[in-house]
Amino acid sequence: MPGEFDLIRRFFHYPTSHTDLGVGDDGALLRPRPGMQLVVSTDMLVAGHHFFPQADPFLLGWKAAAVNISDMAAMAAEPRWITLALALPQADDEWVGALARGFRDCCEAYCVDWIGGDTTRGPLNLCATVFGEVPADAAVRRDGARHGDDIWISGWPGMAALGLAHLRGELQLLDGWSESCLDRLHRPIPRVALGMALRGVASAMLDVSDGLLGDLAHILERSQVGAMIEETALPLDALLAACKRTEPAMAALLGGGDDYELLFTVPREKRGQVEALGRHLELPLHRIGRILDKSGLWLQRGDGVVEAIAASGFDHFA
């Protein structure tokens, strides 16, 4: 069985492109670019809670990097450096090698230097910390939404949740859709280009990890506003095509999470900029509602009836 330092040497030591000193010392040496603020975020993935213990290690490595890189996109930052702390029940060469390849591939896809971390024996657990840069005062935070702003969501929210429900045997996806939904679950795509392009455009933003409504509630709380969601504007077509059932499709879209799509608010007068940005990036951007000057979360049904809705989402301690 390989030892800790042999594991590090064989699987976690990669060249860097914009780091003064990476793996191999007591710490990494970074040189932020002039005029930039550092953005730092940490996410943990725990076996049996965030992923199945038998998960494909390559895909798990990709996801461990991707969910952290997505946090940089959510603040309009450029991801630059990342570390990985890893607890392993045992040091299995093949498993660790596949995990490292998945993590490295995601980092390379987004030009992120893997600069270190830690390994130890313990229950299977991955904890990554990502560092990014954003021009001073250009970060998009959660507290900037204002009355009248449009609410937007990127991509295909809800597909990851349908993939998880399919894995759990809770529903059967139609032919051709299970692969797409499982790919969204296992290989999330951080919306880095979109996040950076929304500097100076979006008033508030985050990435959807715990469910659209639950995460929208974080923006509403920090901004001290409310929101109206329009049922007819919700991007349900792909979800309905995948499962042919309205109830699970709506539940996946509004409460599923694990999509890492960007949820953001934009002043109405900048609506055209967002539409042009979606065309430029070839990425669907859906305008699903608006910010209100009163507290609460509301849904306007297709028949015009308005009702209050709960901001439900994933809770790590529920």
Side-chain angles (χ1 to χ4, degrees):
M1 181 181 295
E4 176 185 3
F5 298 107
D6 185 46
L7 278 178
I8 294 171
R9 178 182 57 80
R10 293 170 59 195
F11 299 121
F12 304 122
H13 202 298
Y14 295 105
T16 56
S17 61
H18 45 261
T19 302
D20 290 346
L21 180 65
V23 176
D25 221 295
D26 288 309
L29 296 177
L30 314 179
R31 190 186 303 269
R33 291 170 291 186
M36 294 288 189
Q37 285 182 305
L38 276 178
V39 185
V40 184
S41 180
T42 298
D43 264 312
M44 185 181 298
L45 297 179
V46 179
H49 192 64
H50 297 102
F51 62 91
F52 295 111
Q54 67 273 23
D56 181 308
F58 178 88
L59 295 176
L60 181 58
W62 173 281
K63 189 167 186 175
V67 301
N68 279 268
I69 292 170
S70 179
D71 284 334
M72 297 296 98
M75 295 197 73
E78 179 184 356
R80 299 274 283 167
W81 304 279
I82 197 167
T83 66
L84 176 64
L86 179 64
L88 295 166
Q90 60 184 8
D92 180 291
D93 265 24
E94 184 176 351
W95 194 95
V96 174
L99 177 93
R101 288 193 299 274
F103 194 86
R104 178 198 63 202
D105 281 6
C106 187
C107 291
E108 290 182 347
Y110 293 91
C111 300
V112 178
D113 279 356
W114 185 0
I115 59 170
D118 191 24
T119 57
T120 189
R121 182 187 294 273
L124 183 55
N125 182 333
L126 296 84
C127 183
T129 298
V130 64
F131 305 80
E133 293 179 328
V134 65
D137 302 318
V140 181
R141 300 165 23 162
R142 299 181 179 187
D143 60 359
R146 297 293 180 264
H147 171 54
D149 285 358
D150 292 330
I151 303 170
W152 295 80
I153 183 76
S154 68
W156 298 270
M159 291 188 69
L162 286 186
L164 180 59
H166 177 77
L167 279 181
R168 289 174 168 169
E170 297 169 355
L171 60 80
Q172 185 67 40
L173 297 177
L174 300 184
D175 289 345
W177 283 99
S178 59
E179 183 177 347
S180 297
C181 291
L182 289 173
D183 190 57
R184 296 288 170 187
L185 176 66
H186 296 313
R187 291 189 62 128
I189 304 299
R191 303 300 185 187
V192 173
L194 173 61
M196 293 172 62
L198 286 170
R199 294 173 185 167
V201 178
S203 53
M205 184 160 60
L206 47 63
D207 63 336
V208 178
S209 57
D210 298 330
L212 192 157
L213 292 184
D215 285 324
L216 175 59
H218 298 316
I219 289 179
L220 304 185
E221 179 183 12
R222 293 294 302 275
S223 300
Q224 298 186 320
V225 292
M228 178 73 71
I229 300 299
E230 299 171 14
E231 184 179 46
T232 56
L234 293 172
L236 279 167
D237 290 350
L239 306 181
L240 290 172
C243 68
K244 295 296 183 185
R245 294 167 55 196
T246 301
E247 185 175 346
M250 184 71 82
L253 173 62
L254 296 181
D258 233 11
D259 293 297
Y260 302 94
E261 296 290 356
L262 293 185
L263 178 66
F264 54 99
T265 61
V266 175
R268 184 172 181 172
E269 62 268 20
K270 296 181 179 180
R271 185 180 295 177
Q273 291 179 246
V274 177
E275 293 169 344
L277 182 57
R279 292 191 294 270
H280 174 71
L281 295 176
E282 299 182 340
L283 175 66
L285 300 177
H286 315 279
R287 181 168 52 86
I288 61 171
R290 63 188 184 277
I291 295 296
L292 306 177
D293 60 358
K294 62 178 181 179
S295 62
L297 185 54
W298 310 84
L299 179 68
Q300 183 174 14
R301 298 286 185 185
D303 58 7
V305 174
V306 173
E307 60 184 47
I309 50 176
S312 58
F314 181 75
D315 186 334
H316 290 85
F317 293 98

